[in-house]
Amino acid sequence: MNPPLSHSSALPQNRERLLLIVLALVQFTHIVDFMIIMPLGPRLMAEFGITPGRFGALVSAYTFSAGVFGFLAAPLLDRYRRKSALMCSFTGFIVGTALCGIAPSNELLMLARIVAGCFGGISSSLIMATVADAIPLERRAAAMAIVMTSFALASVLGVPLGLFAANHLGWRAPFLILGAFALLVLIAAGLALPHVQRIPRAAGESVMASLLAVFAVPRHWLAFGFTMALMFSGFVVIPYISPTLVQNNGMSNEHLPLVYMAGGVCTFFSMPFIGRLADRYGLFRVFATMSLLTMPAIIGITHFTGHPHLWIILSITTAFMVCASGRFAPAMTLVTSTVEPRHRGGFLSVNNAFQQIASGLASMTAALILVPGPDGTILHYGITGWIGVTSLALSIFLASRIRKTRHA
C-alpha cells in the first residue's frame, strides 16, 4: 500500500511519472467516451431517426450532467483523499459507459450519457486537483500537458479503434469495449496512485462554508468566466465536425478515423512541447499565441465548400487540433494557480461544472443555428465558426486579467 503523500512533499521522479501516466489513462477513457459520440453522429441519427438538433441534445446531455453534478460534488471533494474519491467516481463512470452500450432507445441512451457525464466530470476535476497537489507550479504546465496527451491518445487510438469497432460490430461496441478497458485502468489506478494528504480545513468549517469560500473569492469568478469562454469557443464547432464532413463535404465514414488519427499523432508530440514552452516563457504568452493560431483553423473548418481533397481537410483539421489542444496546458495551469490548496478540489469541481455547462451551451447553441438543408446538408455551420472565434478572443482577454491578478 502506498504511504500518504503530503502536499508539501515532492514525489520521486519515477513515482511522479507513474502518477501522470495513470492519470492520463483515466483521463483517456472518459475523453474517448465523450469524443466517440461525435463521429457516431451520422449512425445515431440514422439508427434512431433523430435530427441534428436532437443529436446536439444527446451530446449536451453528457456535459450538462457533468456540470450539474460538479456543483453538487464541489463541497465534498476536499473532505476525502483524492485517491479514494477518484476511485469511486471512476467506478460510476464505468457503469455509465456500459449502460450506453446496452441502451435500446435514444431516450435511454441519453439517460446513460447523463450517468457517464456525472461521474466523468467529477473524475476530471479530481485528476486536475491531484496534478496541482503533487506538482510544483514551476513545472505544472509540463505535467498538465502530459496528462492532456490523453486527448491525443483518444484521437489516435480511442476514436479510430472505436469507429473500427462500430463499422464491424455496430455502434454499441465502442462503449462496451471502452467500459472493459476502463475496468483495467481502475485496477491499475488502485495499485499505482499514491494517497495525497488533504490540506486541513479551518476548524469547524461546514460543507456549505467550504462551498461559499470557493465562491467568495473574486479571482475565482474570473477563472470560471475564462474557463467558460475557452470551452464555448471549441464546442460550438467540435461536435459537428464529423457530421458536416460527411453530409456537406462528401467524406465517407471509413475516412473519418483519418481526421482523428492525423490530428492525434501531431497533438501527442506537440502538447508536451507546448507545456514546456509555457513553463519557460510564461503561461499567458503561450496561451494567447496558441489561441490566435486556432482562430483561422476554426474559420477554415466551418467554411469548407464542395468536396475538397482529403489532404486539404486533414491539413486544416490537424492544425485545429494541435492549436486548440495547445491552449489547455497553460490555461489549466493558470486556473489552478488562482486557488488555495485547501479549496482546490471544490474549486476545480465548480470550475469543471462551469466548463461542462459552457460546452453544453455551445453544443445547444450550434444545434439551434444548424438546420438540415433540402439536399441533406447541414446549413449555417460558418456562423458557429465566427461565434467560436469571438468567444476565443474573450478568453484571451480574461486570461490577461488572471495574469494581472496573479502578479498583484
Side-chain angles (χ1 to χ4, degrees):
M1 181 176 178
N2 294 324
L5 174 75
S6 71
H7 288 271
S8 58
S9 301
L11 279 171
Q13 186 173 5
N14 61 333
R15 290 278 306 283
E16 181 179 299
R17 188 177 299 275
L18 179 62
L19 169 71
L20 296 176
I21 290 173
V22 172
L23 292 177
L25 286 174
V26 175
Q27 186 91 317
F28 166 82
T29 58
H30 73 78
I31 292 300
V32 173
D33 182 81
F34 174 70
M35 289 179 65
I36 194 64
I37 198 78
M38 290 180 260
L40 289 177
R43 299 173 188 275
L44 293 174
M45 284 189 279
E47 173 79 15
F48 295 122
I50 57 177
T51 64
R54 291 292 301 275
F55 172 66
L58 193 60
V59 173
S60 301
Y62 186 102
T63 54
F64 279 126
S65 171
V68 171
F69 284 95
F71 281 118
L72 296 177
L76 301 175
L77 293 188
D78 288 313
R79 294 175 174 264
Y80 300 95
R81 286 180 174 177
R82 300 284 189 241
K83 179 177 179 178
S84 301
L86 181 58
M87 296 290 287
C88 290
S89 64
F90 193 46
T91 300
F93 164 78
I94 294 172
V95 172
T97 300
L99 290 175
C100 291
I102 62 175
S105 66
N106 178 57
E107 290 75 18
L108 290 177
L109 177 59
M110 183 170 292
L111 180 61
R113 298 304 294 161
I114 290 172
V115 174
C118 161
F119 292 104
I122 294 172
S123 298
S124 182
S125 303
L126 289 166
I127 290 169
M128 296 297 107
T130 302
V131 174
D133 289 343
I135 309 298
L137 181 59
E138 61 270 15
R139 292 189 290 109
R140 196 175 297 162
M144 288 284 186
I146 291 174
V147 172
M148 289 179 183
T149 55
S150 55
F151 286 89
L153 287 173
S155 298
V156 175
L157 296 176
V159 173
L161 290 176
L163 288 176
F164 179 82
N167 289 337
H168 293 83
L169 302 173
W171 67 265
R172 302 176 188 279
F175 296 107
L176 297 175
I177 294 171
L178 180 63
F181 176 76
L183 185 60
L184 297 177
V185 175
L186 177 69
I187 296 171
L191 296 173
L193 291 180
H195 282 290
V196 179
Q197 296 280 31
R198 293 177 292 111
I199 294 292
R201 302 186 309 276
E205 186 177 60
S206 66
V207 170
M208 186 55 65
S210 299
L211 182 60
L212 292 177
V214 170
F215 288 111
V217 181
R219 67 176 180 272
H220 291 179
W221 284 99
L222 192 59
F224 298 151
F226 166 66
T227 298
M228 292 189 73
L230 178 68
M231 299 308 297
F232 194 96
S233 67
F235 281 91
V236 75
V237 171
I238 291 172
Y240 293 93
I241 291 177
S242 294
T244 54
L245 287 176
V246 171
Q247 295 175 226
N248 291 12
N249 307 119
M251 177 174 278
S252 67
N253 283 312
E254 287 70 25
H255 282 157
L256 272 181
L258 294 176
V259 172
Y260 295 92
M261 290 179 68
V265 167
C266 294
T267 301
F268 183 80
F269 292 102
S270 66
M271 285 194 73
F273 175 70
I274 294 170
R276 292 193 293 272
L277 288 179
D279 284 331
R280 182 172 181 180
Y281 294 107
L283 302 173
F284 172 74
R285 182 180 299 177
V286 173
F287 169 78
T289 299
M290 300 311 300
S291 297
L292 291 172
L293 292 174
T294 302
M295 292 180 179
I298 289 178
I299 298 304
I301 284 176
T302 55
H303 287 78
F304 281 132
T305 56
H307 293 184
H309 288 292
L310 181 61
W311 70 267
I312 295 177
I313 293 176
L314 293 180
S315 297
I316 296 178
T317 55
T318 299
F320 170 74
M321 291 183 187
V322 168
C323 297
S325 64
R327 301 171 300 163
F328 282 96
M332 287 307 301
T333 308
L334 271 172
V335 167
T336 59
S337 70
T338 64
V339 62
E340 294 180 46
R342 67 192 180 97
H343 293 305
R344 186 173 283 147
F347 166 83
L348 286 173
S349 185
V350 173
N351 186 72
N352 187 66
F354 279 117
Q355 172 181 317
Q356 301 298 340
I357 289 172
S359 301
L361 287 174
S363 298
M364 292 303 295
T365 299
L368 293 173
I369 293 172
L370 303 177
V371 295
D375 55 353
T377 59
I378 298 175
L379 304 180
H380 309 319
Y381 194 36
I383 296 175
T384 69
W386 289 111
I387 293 174
V389 167
T390 303
S391 182
L392 191 52
L394 176 61
S395 73
I396 296 174
F397 169 74
L398 293 174
S400 70
R401 302 298 302 170
I402 292 176
R403 178 183 61 167
K404 290 180 180 179
T405 60
R406 287 180 64 238
H407 289 169

